[in-house]
Amino acid sequence: MNDALKALIAAACVCIIAASSWYLYKERQSYVAEQKRRQSLSDIATTQDIDRLRELAIKKQRELAAVRITPQRCADIAKATIPDKAGEPPKTYEFVEELKLCDDFKRLGAYDRHQLDLIGVF
């Protein structure tokens, strides 16, 4: 009987150790999963912040461009770009981006806009 009781206690100890090990393993898995979830949420928030800052920077650049690009400036660079004779290529491609902004802000005259459209600037 004494040996049977020792075997029973040993089996109970093994069961308790196995159950507690299994419980701790599952808790650790849960903790790791929660950490990964929080990290992914943090990454998403960071990505959204970067996108928002990028949008604000673009908006600010456009506001600064709107101040810099006057109708007179647009007329001057259109004159520098439009060729003297019809059918010729543009005199220069240096001002294409700025001319596109002039068009966006409606700062080009109808004639200049039409001529730039004919030579393929827009």
Side-chain angles (χ1 to χ4, degrees), residues 9-80:
I9 291 174
C13 288
V14 168
C15 289
I16 290 172
I17 291 172
S20 60
S21 296
W22 180 257
Y23 174 77
L24 290 175
Y25 173 76
K26 285 298 187 182
E27 284 296 312
R28 175 71 179 154
Q29 291 285 16
S30 174
Y31 175 77
V32 169
E34 179 65 20
Q35 291 297 343
K36 286 182 181 179
R37 186 187 69 82
R38 285 184 183 177
Q39 181 63 38
S40 67
L41 289 176
S42 174
D43 291 346
I44 290 170
T46 302
T47 302
Q48 289 172 345
D49 290 343
I50 290 171
D51 290 343
R52 187 174 51 91
L53 288 173
R54 187 176 291 127
E55 289 171 9
L56 288 173
I58 290 170
K59 182 180 176 185
K60 193 62 161 174
Q61 284 176 342
R62 287 189 63 80
E63 289 173 1
L64 291 173
V67 170
R68 188 185 81 228
I69 297 177
T70 63
Q72 183 60 43
R73 170 77 178 147
C74 292
D76 291 344
I77 62 175
K79 184 178 178 184

Side-chain angles (χ1 to χ4, degrees), residues 1 3 17 29 36 38 53 76 91 108 112 119 122:
M1 175 81 175
D3 289 336
I17 291 172
Q29 291 285 16
K36 286 182 181 179
R38 285 184 183 177
L53 288 173
D76 291 344
K91 290 180 185 175
L108 284 171
D112 290 338
I119 60 173
F122 300 123

